[in-house]
Amino acid sequence: MSDTNTGVPSLVGAPLPSPVPADEYERCPVTEVVRRIGDKWTMLVIVLLGRRAHRFNELHRGIEGISQRMLTRTLRALESDGLVDRQVFPTVPPSVEYRLSPLGRSLLTPLSALADWVVEHGDELGRAGGTETDVVGPGGGPA
Amino acid sequence: MSDTNTGVPSLVGAPLPSPVPADEYERCPVTEVVRRIGDKWTMLVIVLLGRRAHRFNELHRGIEGISQRMLTRTLRALESDGLVDRQVFPTVPPSVEYRLSPLGRSLLTPLSALADWVVEHGDELGRAGGTETDVVGPGGGPA
DNA sequence: CCGCATCCCGGCCGATACTG
DNA sequence: CAGTATCGGCCGGGATGCGG
């Protein structure tokens, strides 16, 4: 299912015979996206906009702790990524609505998979054991 | 599927009746994980370890551009998150093997979903249109 | 071979003030 | 209401060198 010849030959697949050169990983597509949405606020915005369209200050109040600056930046980034659509109403006072683009909405699906994982395994994260460093006896190792 | 009462009531679901207070989003679990794996190298390491166990310098050579410092940091972080297991062979010279823990392997599944999305929509990202800012005529807006 | 310590820089991000 | 401008702290992350 995940298997297309784009550099991501299914993450869960068995160890492939030809261990793809390092260059392939350098521009790993998953990494790209994760880095895109991996910053401090992006995910929160996506989640909020995943529910319904929001106006600027609506988001500003909805995401406690975010500054105007970062909200603007985050929205601009999402916009230029084509994940959110921005709609300006030239009223007085002006108002702007942000909503997830079709592309952005399609992203919600894999994101839900992640959410599912967190719901199921999230409690095992954090401090999964301080000293599980498993030392085997001499002579058993590779080198 | 995504719907457990843990704070992530399915991202793709229709707009829920009770619009959860902002506090809920503050500690959005998905955001947590994404921030965990959203740094520069973590995803690459996970992908490599997803194929098979690797030794330190094997990873170092496999992920072109990473410094020893960052590889160590990344591995330590993944380790304390319980996503990778570290196994030391007290040989001379010493050797260390890193492999995905069961938890880490379980993470590959949702990550694959993301990979699938990238494979399918990745080309629409980046510059999805400079000035798609849609301005409607006066009188049509909310405010 | 594995990994830590130190130095340093650039960018992320917050606070604040100002504009249409 | 919806931003922009500027300053500054903090930290991610690269280079190098040392230790077990």
Side-chain angles (χ1 to χ4, degrees):
Chain A
M1 40 92 158
S2 174
D3 209 341
T4 324
N5 46 12
T6 328
V8 185
S10 169
L11 263 53
V12 291
L16 306 188
S18 55
V20 188
D23 259 41
E24 286 298 314
Y25 298 114
E26 196 41 65
R27 48 188 98 83
C28 166
V30 194
T31 302
E32 282 303 309
V33 180
V34 169
R35 294 223 66 189
R36 279 270 194 31
I37 63 178
D39 69 311
K40 195 169 182 180
W41 304 107
T42 298
M43 184 65 78
L44 280 321
V45 172
I46 291 179
V47 168
L48 275 185
L49 293 184
R51 289 163 161 267
R52 58 174 178 82
H54 281 73
R55 300 182 41 184
F56 186 87
N57 276 356
E58 218 172 354
L59 289 170
H60 191 202
R61 282 185 298 269
I63 305 178
E64 199 172 274
I66 197 174
S67 61
Q68 283 189 338
R69 171 190 165 89
M70 288 318 295
L71 181 53
T72 301
R73 273 172 168 259
T74 303
L75 287 169
R76 289 284 180 278
L78 285 169
E79 201 186 342
S80 74
D81 280 345
L83 293 174
V84 317
D85 287 336
R86 177 187 142 112
Q87 192 174 15
V88 180
F89 301 97
T91 51
V92 286
S95 84
V96 181
E97 272 195 9
Y98 295 91
R99 72 188 69 247
L100 247 41
S101 71
L103 184 63
R105 270 193 301 280
S106 75
L107 182 58
L108 288 180
T109 305
L111 253 33
S112 282
L114 246 189
D116 291 345
W117 184 89
V118 177
V119 167
E120 195 167 351
H121 303 284
D123 54 333
E124 309 172 34
L125 277 177
R127 61 83 192 267
T131 325
E132 56 183 297
T133 302
D134 204 24
V135 182
V136 306
Chain B
M1 36 81 166
S2 175
D3 209 340
T4 324
N5 45 13
T6 329
V8 184
S10 168
L11 263 54
V12 292
L16 305 189
S18 55
V20 188
D23 259 41
E24 285 299 314
Y25 298 112
E26 195 43 65
R27 50 188 95 84
C28 166
V30 194
T31 302
E32 282 302 309
V33 180
V34 169
R35 295 222 64 189
R36 279 272 193 32
I37 62 179
D39 68 314
K40 195 170 183 180
W41 304 107
T42 299
M43 184 65 79
L44 280 322
V45 173
I46 290 179
V47 168
L48 275 186
L49 293 185
R51 289 162 162 267
R52 58 174 178 84
H54 281 73
R55 298 183 42 186
F56 186 87
N57 276 357
E58 218 172 354
L59 289 170
H60 191 204
R61 282 185 298 269
I63 305 178
E64 199 171 275
I66 196 174
S67 60
Q68 284 188 339
R69 170 191 162 89
M70 288 319 295
L71 180 53
T72 302
R73 274 171 167 257
T74 303
L75 287 169
R76 288 284 178 279
L78 284 170
E79 200 187 341
S80 74
D81 279 346
L83 292 174
V84 317
D85 287 336
R86 177 186 142 114
Q87 192 174 14
V88 180
F89 300 96
T91 53
V92 286
S95 83
V96 182
E97 271 195 11
Y98 296 91
R99 69 189 70 248
L100 247 40
S101 71
L103 184 62
R105 272 193 300 279
S106 74
L107 182 57
L108 288 180
T109 305
L111 252 34
S112 282
L114 246 188
D116 291 345
W117 184 89
V118 177
V119 167
E120 195 166 352
H121 303 284
D123 54 333
E124 308 172 33
L125 276 178
R127 59 84 194 261
T131 325
E132 56 183 295
T133 303
D134 205 23
V135 182
V136 306

